[in-house]
Amino acid sequence: MPSIAVVGNSGEGKSTSYGQIPELGIEGLNPKETVIINVGGKDLPFRGWAKLYSGEIPTGGNYFHTSEADKIAMAIKYISETRKEIKNIVIDDGQFIMGFEFMRRAKESGYGKFADIGVNISKVIEASRTARPDLKTYFLWHPEKDNTGKSKMKTVGKMVDDHLTLEGLFTVVLYTKVERGADNKVKYQFVTNNDGEFPAKSPYGMFKDLYVPNDLGLVSKQIDKYNQGE
């Protein structure tokens, strides 16, 4: 049931965060318990991903390539109802659900398409919010700046923003933060609450630290502990 947004630019460790990458110390998500919905159709950035994630969902597979909102919403519902072994769904990258629909309908005049795009992405998020309690859906997303210069989840424009505040549909919104230390090593992190630069959010006490490693395996465990009162 938990829906989690992970917001960050390309190359800041979003997709890496769900891969199992021991050499980087990333626990990631168990492929036997995870379905990837690959919206953009990109290759995933960890070794052996094509073997770990393959096959169609109705036949026991754990990989689905589509950008169509209705199909994604139906897939979430199907997994929730029939694939009880699946504990995680990763939608990578979520903003392309809107972006690709906008491009498919770019020649349409009028504002109706913007309303449709907002409704369609809401269907996907609502499907994740109404799924069974032990099924988490991670929406990987790109950011953009609003007219005040603050970061927000990217949409296809003001017509959608005027009627839909995406962040309000998520209890947990993590932002990526990349720093280079004195040793010149790059540190990839998630911001768990507003740090003055990134408007991340999570329930009070869910995460002990403002910055945590970019590891959805660790994030998932922490969410479970919080929900169970630990």
Side-chain angles (χ1 to χ4, degrees):
M1 185 167 143
S3 299
I4 302 100
V6 181
V7 187
N9 291 305
S10 295
E12 292 187 344
K14 299 191 305 301
S15 297
T16 302
S17 70
Y18 61 83
Q20 295 180 318
I21 314 175
E23 56 266 45
L24 295 179
I26 295 177
E27 177 182 336
L29 300 176
N30 183 350
K32 294 181 180 179
E33 298 180 347
T34 304
V35 166
I36 304 300
I37 299 178
N38 192 341
V39 181
K42 66 181 182 182
D43 289 350
L44 304 183
F46 45 87
R47 190 184 306 277
W49 74 267
K51 291 183 179 179
L52 296 171
Y53 292 100
S54 64
E56 298 181 357
I57 294 171
T59 57
N62 62 354
Y63 183 83
F64 188 28
H65 173 206
T66 183
S67 64
E68 296 183 38
D70 285 344
K71 291 182 179 180
I72 294 172
M74 286 190 292
I76 294 171
K77 185 174 186 295
Y78 180 87
I79 292 165
S80 176
E81 294 177 353
T82 69
R83 297 286 303 277
K84 304 300 184 180
E85 81 281 12
I86 299 300
K87 308 301 181 184
N88 310 291
I89 299 172
V90 178
I91 299 178
D92 189 359
D93 283 291
Q95 82 284 340
F96 289 133
I97 300 170
M98 290 190 291
F100 289 163
E101 181 178 358
F102 175 78
M103 293 306 297
R104 288 193 296 266
R105 303 176 61 178
K107 294 183 179 180
E108 292 183 22
S109 59
Y111 300 119
K113 63 185 174 187
F114 292 101
D116 290 344
I117 290 170
V119 167
N120 288 338
I121 194 62
S122 296
K123 288 179 182 177
V124 175
I125 298 172
E126 186 61 19
S128 72
R129 285 158 52 92
T130 57
R132 55 184 158 82
D134 66 336
L135 179 61
K136 302 181 189 71
T137 304
Y138 294 93
F139 289 78
L140 278 53
W141 212 277
H142 286 187
E144 63 180 354
K145 302 287 188 179
D146 64 16
N147 55 12
T148 68
K150 295 180 180 179
S151 294
K152 59 180 285 294
M153 294 173 70
K154 188 174 185 177
T155 69
V156 291
K158 189 174 183 299
M159 288 297 298
V160 173
D161 291 344
D162 284 347
H163 301 285
L164 181 66
T165 302
L166 285 174
E167 290 83 353
L169 300 177
F170 296 91
T171 302
V172 177
V173 179
L174 306 176
Y175 270 79
T176 58
K177 183 179 178 69
V178 181
E179 294 181 320
R180 187 175 295 275
D183 57 1
N184 212 34
K185 290 185 177 180
V186 178
K187 189 175 184 180
Y188 296 89
Q189 304 168 95
F190 289 148
V191 186
T192 63
N193 271 294
N194 197 318
D195 67 347
E197 180 181 5
F198 299 104
K201 67 174 184 176
S202 60
Y204 178 78
M206 178 176 279
F207 297 97
K208 294 180 180 179
D209 299 314
L210 183 59
Y211 305 109
V212 298
N214 67 318
D215 187 337
L216 287 188
L218 298 180
V219 168
S220 179
K221 288 181 177 179
Q222 199 59 42
I223 291 173
D224 287 340
K225 288 180 180 179
Y226 178 87
N227 289 341
Q228 294 163 11
E230 298 180 17

